[in-house]
Amino acid sequence: MTIDLVLANGTVVTPSGVMEADILVSGEVIADIVPPGTGRGARMIDARGRIVLPGGVDAHVHFLIGFMGQRSVYDFYSGTVAALRGGNTTVIDFALQRRGRSMLDGLKHRRVQADRHVATDYGLHLIATDINPSSLAEVPALVEAGAASFKVYTVYEKEQLKVDDGPLHDLMRALGQAGGMLGLHAENASLIDHAIAKHLAAGEVAPRYHATSRPALAETEAVRRGLLLAEDAGCPLHIFHLNSGPALDAIEAAAARGQKASAETCTHYLALTAEKLDREDGHLYVMSPPLRDKATQDRMWQGVASGGFAAVTSDDASYSAEAKALGAESFDRIANGVPGVEHRLPLLYTLGVEAGRLTLPQLAYAWATGPATLFGLAPQKGSIALGADADLVLLDPETRRTMTPESHYGAIGYNPFDGMSLTGWPTLTVRRGQVAVEDGKFLGEPGQGRFLTRRLGAR
Ligand SMILES: [Zn+2]
């Protein structure tokens, strides 16, 4: 077997441990892992002083998206280049079923938008917005096509995304039978709409009221309701972007009882708290669920360390500073979401590992192995093992840099993590055996990424 590439003398980290080793790559896969300094191959890369992790699996990104009247800066090309620069080799985005249309059409349309442009490998979650006998009949074909994880929104009726409990329960039954999974954006719409109306009537329009109108209660109620419905329907449940202590308690308790229940939190919840909303540029920090207090943040970190969360995702939604400012005069009109696909690793490393909240193996799990396993990509993705895809990232644990609005690839115009001094920057990203980014420079071509047909059930 020809060895094309050797990453030599690095500190190799997986969820099961840390070791000094050489990683040998042949073609697109890992061919061998040998004692440090003993590997030989056509191209040698010195990884001394570097931490070698599985390439990141960001299971929640929104590239090329329109929402609340705004468009993301990132399309499938620029977004996946930003992802690679951040050490990610796989992302999972979303295909939208428009109301009145078929789910399979939604998947087909999204693949046309993405396939020729992606620089990372990618998968798609299917966003279901119109559940009826004919769309339910498509569920087995969608699972077969590799979009086995669905997303349903319990909020956002104005944006034509919300699904009510009855149709949701029907969809859960269909997914349970077909071997799929239901992911929820879990917030109680009635509690939130009522609170928003009260704030607006009182003239309370500042960004902070976005957070007070979406309390942890609204999230926790929807998570518990989702758990009840999913358990009855026999469907695995995943909670996207969780940021409530009691909601995490509910997921952990359900999983401990044997229910197939999982959750992810996001880097912004681990790095930021609701005080940001009181700044003059507080509108930049509007996302849903909202930023909360320090105690919630501490609980989220605990969930990452314990494995209570199967993943930490970025929920990247790259509305520009200008686009976010368009809604700044009233909190209910600000496009929800922040960018972050490029900075998940230095944030997790600095605030997690360096701060003593995470071990390196725990980082590897939240960063890559956990999401790959949950979403049907393991062991091909998220592992450093013989025969796995040679998706790898080298991380520099020494160099510190301060985040600025220019730290992002592309013109987003702000950075939610502005001013933070971070270490753990990726220096080299290998995607299926090819050096795709070195020192921030993209060395590949659009369309080199592949659509991943995911099969659930490894967990
Ligand atoms: Zn999202």
Side-chain angles (χ1 to χ4, degrees):
M1 190 187 316
T2 335
I3 301 303
D4 303 300
L5 178 68
V6 177
L7 299 182
N9 299 300
T11 302
V12 178
V13 178
T14 68
S16 47
V18 179
M19 61 173 174
E20 306 299 314
D22 289 1
I23 299 176
L24 278 54
V25 176
S26 179
E28 298 191 338
V29 301
I30 296 174
D32 211 350
I33 300 166
V34 300
T38 66
R40 293 291 173 270
R43 179 171 179 194
M44 303 289 296
I45 291 177
D46 186 17
R48 200 180 301 270
R50 301 282 191 252
I51 291 166
V52 186
L53 287 163
V57 177
D58 193 339
H60 188 162
V61 301
H62 302 275
F63 301 147
L64 193 70
I65 185 186
F67 183 58
M68 297 176 78
Q70 305 304 328
R71 297 198 68 80
S72 63
V73 169
Y74 288 149
D75 56 20
F76 274 103
Y77 174 67
S78 54
T80 52
V81 169
L84 279 171
R85 281 165 43 105
N88 301 283
T89 48
T90 298
V91 298
I92 309 182
D93 201 287
F94 296 82
L96 174 67
Q97 174 208 20
R98 294 195 187 278
R99 287 191 184 164
R101 303 276 291 275
S102 109
M103 295 180 181
L104 281 163
D105 279 355
L107 178 63
K108 216 184 290 173
H109 176 65
R110 197 62 166 163
R111 287 205 52 187
V112 167
Q113 289 182 324
D115 278 358
R116 285 178 23 250
H117 306 285
V118 284
T120 60
D121 289 348
Y122 84 107
L124 292 170
H125 305 291
L126 196 289
I127 299 174
T129 62
D130 195 346
I131 320 275
N132 56 56
S134 80
S135 65
L136 283 170
E138 296 181 300
V139 166
L142 284 153
V143 171
E144 188 55 34
S149 50
F150 278 44
K151 182 176 191 180
V152 159
Y153 289 88
T154 59
V155 291
Y156 298 137
E157 176 53 34
K158 242 186 282 176
E159 289 75 24
Q160 307 212 352
L161 294 172
K162 179 172 180 277
V163 171
D164 289 330
D165 295 344
L168 169 60
H169 189 237
D170 285 348
L171 178 61
M172 286 171 162
R173 271 200 301 248
L175 279 167
Q177 278 165 18
M181 171 195 290
L182 192 285
L184 266 191
H185 176 126
E187 290 186 294
N188 179 306
S190 175
L191 285 173
I192 290 170
D193 290 345
H194 183 64
I196 291 174
K198 279 202 286 188
H199 279 313
L200 295 181
E204 294 165 343
V205 293
R208 86 183 67 156
Y209 297 112
H210 171 78
T212 54
S213 66
R214 313 180 91 91
L217 170 67
E219 192 181 344
T220 306
E221 188 283 331
V223 167
R224 288 202 191 167
R225 176 162 37 108
L227 282 166
L228 278 172
L229 295 174
E231 185 170 38
D232 180 79
C235 180
L237 180 73
H238 179 69
I239 304 297
F240 287 107
H241 50 47
L242 187 145
N243 191 31
S244 143
L248 178 56
D249 294 344
I251 291 291
E252 288 181 343
R257 283 201 325 266
Q259 185 173 355
K260 284 187 177 167
S262 61
E264 67 186 37
T265 191
C266 307
T267 18
H268 40 262
Y269 302 130
L270 298 172
L272 308 171
T273 54
E275 284 92 77
K276 293 284 185 196
L277 292 162
D278 291 325
R279 293 163 41 135
E280 201 168 329
D281 59 358
H283 58 277
L284 296 175
Y285 298 89
V286 165
M287 82 282 290
S288 296
L291 297 175
R292 305 197 196 281
D293 59 6
K294 182 73 172 52
T296 301
Q297 188 177 75
D298 289 343
R299 177 71 180 99
M300 297 302 103
W301 273 112
Q302 200 185 32
V304 178
S306 71
F309 285 117
V312 174
T313 63
S314 71
D315 195 1
D316 186 278
S318 57
Y319 308 110
S320 68
E322 253 179 338
K324 301 238 355 158
L326 287 175
E329 77 284 355
S330 188
F331 71 87
D332 62 319
R333 295 207 282 273
I334 302 165
N336 284 203
V338 293
V341 71
E342 199 170 342
H343 298 130
R344 200 165 57 101
L345 189 51
L347 287 164
L348 279 174
Y349 185 83
T350 307
L351 305 177
V353 177
E354 195 186 48
R357 288 159 161 152
L358 295 184
T359 64
L360 281 169
Q362 287 165 347
L363 167 71
Y365 179 81
W367 160 251
T369 314
T373 305
L374 178 66
F375 291 116
L377 294 166
Q380 182 194 0
K381 301 293 189 190
S383 339
I384 299 181
L386 302 197
D389 281 0
D391 289 340
L392 300 157
V393 55
L394 300 193
L395 169 159
D396 173 2
E398 301 293 333
T399 307
R400 302 194 76 83
R401 262 185 266 151
T402 300
M403 293 277 257
T404 73
E406 285 72 46
S407 303
H408 297 292
Y409 182 74
I412 294 172
Y414 81 104
N415 186 333
F417 312 108
D418 195 17
M420 295 182 75
S421 170
L422 301 182
T423 184
W425 295 89
T427 59
L428 185 115
T429 309
V430 177
R431 183 214 52 226
R432 275 186 283 104
Q434 190 185 7
V435 176
V437 165
E438 191 162 11
D439 295 325
K441 201 169 171 300
F442 176 55
L443 304 172
E445 302 285 337
Q448 284 175 332
R450 281 185 198 147
F451 177 73
L452 299 166
T453 305
R454 298 177 291 113
R455 301 270 172 249
L456 305 182
R459 189 183 157 102

